[in-house]
Amino acid sequence: MKLHILAVNHKMPDWIATGFDEYAKRMPPELRIELHEIKPEQRSSGRNAESVMAAERLRIEAALPKNARLVALDEHVRDWTTMQLADALPDWQQDGRDVAFVIGGADGLDPQVKARAEVLLRVSSLTLPHSMVRVLLAEQLRAWSITQNHPYHRV
């Protein structure tokens, strides 16, 4: 199973890429993380958030791996604990499909993306920059180590 992170944003600072790469390389071969950056829609006067999110939805849908389980990040749902994520990973692996985590743009995710998602996930109650969310998500996906009876905090 491959874990895909689809992130609507661009021009990340080097430290974000370094942080993401550090956590991604710690994953085992059977749970590789692949990052897909999706160009955000241009904001201009006269364009509302709904039209921007709709345009970004089309880019997200084009980038989604076929038959992948869609996990939409949504700030309006309950946080998951690391243990909850660790519990979900083996079930997802058994399912045999890739998993695509989608991080929306500055305006969030189009409601149609959320409706299509099999899981809605909030990684933190804190307000975080979207660029940092990709690093935090990659770090949290190391929860797989718990399923291998390896202490998560020591990985």
Side-chain angles (χ1 to χ4, degrees), residues 3 6 13 16 39 41 58-59 62 73 94 100 111-112 130 133 154:
L3 303 170
L6 284 69
I16 291 290
K39 184 179 178 188
E41 185 67 14
L58 297 175
R59 292 181 183 149
L73 274 66
Q94 288 258 305
Q112 288 184 42
H130 287 206
V133 170
R154 296 187 188 268

Side-chain angles (χ1 to χ4, degrees), residues 123-134:
V123 297
S124 177
S125 295
L126 299 171
T127 301
L128 300 169
H130 287 206
S131 58
M132 193 171 288
V133 170
R134 70 171 67 181

Side-chain angles (χ1 to χ4, degrees), residues 25-39:
K25 77 179 181 185
R26 296 182 188 192
M27 297 298 288
E30 65 273 14
L31 281 178
R32 302 300 329 151
I33 298 177
E34 188 173 298
L35 177 64
H36 307 266
E37 291 187 328
I38 298 170
K39 184 179 178 188

Side-chain angles (χ1 to χ4, degrees), residues 7-131:
V8 178
N9 56 25
H10 65 289
K11 298 183 182 177
M12 294 295 101
D14 288 342
W15 66 270
I16 291 290
T18 300
F20 179 86
D21 291 345
E22 177 60 33
Y23 290 117
K25 77 179 181 185
R26 296 182 188 192
M27 297 298 288
E30 65 273 14
L31 281 178
R32 302 300 329 151
I33 298 177
E34 188 173 298
L35 177 64
H36 307 266
E37 291 187 328
I38 298 170
K39 184 179 178 188
E41 185 67 14
Q42 290 279 354
R43 286 298 303 258
S44 61
S45 60
R47 290 204 61 195
N48 61 21
E50 290 76 23
S51 68
V52 170
M53 288 187 296
E56 290 172 348
R57 174 182 46 84
L58 297 175
R59 292 181 183 149
I60 290 167
E61 289 172 345
L64 277 172
K66 187 174 179 153
N67 298 320
R69 174 185 309 273
L70 176 56
V71 178
L73 274 66
D74 184 357
E75 65 182 330
H76 302 292
V77 298
R78 290 190 59 182
D79 293 350
W80 277 32
T81 66
T82 301
M83 287 303 297
Q84 288 171 310
L85 183 57
D87 288 343
L89 286 171
D91 292 339
W92 294 348
Q93 279 183 294
Q94 288 258 305
D95 183 89
R97 296 183 293 154
D98 287 351
V99 178
F101 296 88
V102 180
I103 303 168
D107 294 304
L109 282 173
D110 184 89
Q112 288 184 42
V113 174
K114 292 180 193 181
R116 182 177 167 190
E118 294 180 41
V119 176
L120 296 175
L121 168 67
R122 180 170 74 182
V123 297
S124 177
S125 295
L126 299 171
T127 301
L128 300 169
H130 287 206
S131 58

